[in-house]
Amino acid sequence: MVGHKVVSLILFLAGWQEVATLVQVRHVAVDVGQDLTLACAEEDVLPHTDSPGVMWIREGREDGQIKRLKVESNGVLELVNVSADDAGNYSCTLDDDADAVKSRINVEVRTPPPALRNVWVKPSTILANILWEVGGTGGYPIIDFTAEYRLKPSEGEKPEQWKPIIPTHIPPNSRQIDVYHLVPNTTYSFRVWATNQLGRGEIVEVENHTHHSVEELELARHLLAGVEDFDTRVWVAAVGIVMGTLLILGIGTCYLLYRECKAPSGGAGGD
Ligand SMILES: *[C@@H]1O[C@H](CO)[C@@H](O)[C@H](O)[C@H]1NC(C)=O
Ligand SMILES: *[C@@H]1O[C@H](CO)[C@@H](O)[C@H](O)[C@H]1NC(C)=O
Ligand SMILES: *[C@@H]1O[C@H](CO)[C@@H](O)[C@H](O)[C@H]1NC(C)=O
Ligand SMILES: *[C@@H]1O[C@H](CO)[C@@H](O)[C@H](O)[C@H]1NC(C)=O
């Protein structure tokens, strides 16, 4: 079917700019894994079966792409199972008029979010703060972030299950989350990713070691000990004193108000 036509595609870098500036760019967005067809020109401008072939030019080389590319007999470029690497600029010319670029198309491939950037963990003794930055959304807004942690497995040991970090759906404007109830002087692995409507993004995993600070531990112990040893009788006595004081103040105020109200009327009566 295509045999009698000279249909070709070349991968090409130099010369793009000068060719490119002449035509309006079309923008096309496609979800990763979908198929995409690009028409070289409007239906009526398309070459007939006996006319010369269509040539598609892509900026930059993408090895492995060629297998998933097809130029239909009507000159339409078809990309099968689009991958993120297929994003870029494509243009097409007709063989009989190779100087004139008929079409220039900027292809955007939408993907799940790429890996978060600058992910790091700021540990203390019994909690840690995971921080990250967003490098890109993948083309759709980020719905939420997810973070998990687990003990770093020691040599030859089977790693434990990842534990969720609450909330499991971290709002899209957050850039950090706290993890509680860690054990001091222990190495943990943490992982975090963003999700958009195409799914879970690339996972970034980092590890860090909780502090073993004697002072911090002592402080924590002291606070916890204080809670445990707390005597409710002390509390009752304290509340009693406060309530008693308030009561006395209240009575005093009422008495004063009563006298204030009484005094003028009494004065008027006296006049
Ligand atoms: C599409 O490509 C991905 C890898 O890029 C591959 O894993 C998948 O099986 C392909 N799907 C189809 C339908 O060819
Ligand atoms: C496509 O061309 C535009 C200029 O027209 C340029 O800004 C952009 O970076 C190019 N895209 C790619 C992926 O090279
Ligand atoms: C581990 O924690 C230290 C601070 O205690 C911090 O300087 C370092 O960047 C952290 N490393 C990672 C990979 O998060
Ligand atoms: C921290 O743990 C290591 C082994 O995991 C141990 O050798 C070290 O003594 C511990 N440090 C403190 C201050 O307990």
Side-chain angles (χ1 to χ4, degrees):
M1 248 169 98
V2 192
H4 64 288
K5 286 190 56 184
V6 192
V7 176
S8 56
L9 175 121
I10 63 165
L11 300 167
F12 173 94
L13 186 61
W16 164 271
Q17 259 74 17
E18 49 190 284
V19 173
T21 46
L22 306 168
V23 208
Q24 189 80 30
V25 186
R26 269 196 287 148
H27 182 84
V28 174
V30 61
D31 292 354
V32 69
Q34 303 271 293
D35 299 343
L36 175 68
T37 53
L38 301 174
C40 182
E42 304 292 332
E43 285 287 320
D44 50 345
V45 192
L46 278 180
H48 300 291
T49 329
D50 53 347
S51 66
V54 169
M55 183 168 71
W56 284 91
I57 299 166
R58 193 210 149 137
E59 179 183 4
R61 171 175 293 278
E62 189 45 58
D63 294 325
Q65 185 187 33
I66 205 96
K67 284 182 241 97
R68 294 177 295 103
L69 286 174
K70 228 172 21 180
V71 182
E72 302 285 341
S73 55
N74 60 357
V76 167
L77 176 68
E78 190 178 1
L79 286 96
V80 181
N81 191 12
V82 166
S83 80
D85 297 332
D86 293 338
N89 290 318
Y90 296 77
S91 68
C92 87
T93 62
L94 301 179
D95 272 3
D96 57 350
D97 187 9
D99 292 336
V101 172
K102 289 287 176 283
S103 207
R104 220 184 131 222
I105 304 165
N106 173 254
V107 174
E108 178 196 349
V109 179
R110 292 176 172 147
T111 60
L116 297 169
R117 286 202 308 216
N118 297 336
V119 179
W120 69 290
V121 174
K122 195 165 70 185
S124 88
T125 46
I126 49 171
L127 61 85
N129 183 221
I130 310 172
L131 301 101
W132 61 86
E133 287 166 20
V134 173
T137 64
Y140 287 112
I142 289 175
I143 297 169
D144 58 25
F145 299 100
T146 311
E148 295 178 340
Y149 76 107
R150 70 179 178 196
L151 279 172
K152 191 197 173 191
S154 24
E155 202 77 30
E157 198 180 281
K158 198 164 161 282
E160 64 173 6
Q161 291 280 315
W162 288 99
K163 295 179 185 144
I165 293 170
I166 310 295
T168 47
H169 298 281
I170 304 165
N173 56 348
S174 302
R175 295 295 178 268
Q176 56 171 297
I177 190 84
D178 285 326
V179 197
Y180 302 97
H181 306 303
L182 302 179
V183 177
N185 190 26
T186 307
T187 305
Y188 286 92
S189 303
F190 304 86
R191 61 178 194 174
V192 56
W193 66 87
T195 301
N196 68 14
Q197 71 182 69
L198 294 181
R200 152 196 285 220
E202 256 178 84
I203 295 175
V204 180
E205 190 174 327
V206 293
E207 60 185 50
N208 218 327
H209 192 83
T210 51
H211 295 172
H212 185 97
S213 147
V214 177
E215 301 88 71
E216 273 183 62
L217 267 188
E218 282 305 309
L219 184 65
R221 259 199 215 115
H222 182 72
L223 289 173
L224 284 175
V227 170
E228 277 155 18
D229 298 349
F230 194 79
D231 191 338
T232 45
R233 280 171 302 178
V234 177
W235 191 79
V236 170
V239 170
I241 290 166
V242 171
M243 293 305 276
T245 311
L246 284 176
L247 192 67
I248 289 164
L249 279 174
I251 291 168
T253 311
C254 285
Y255 176 68
L256 284 177
L257 280 174
Y258 175 74
R259 288 226 348 211
E260 281 289 310
C261 294
K262 260 293 56 183
S265 62
D271 272 347

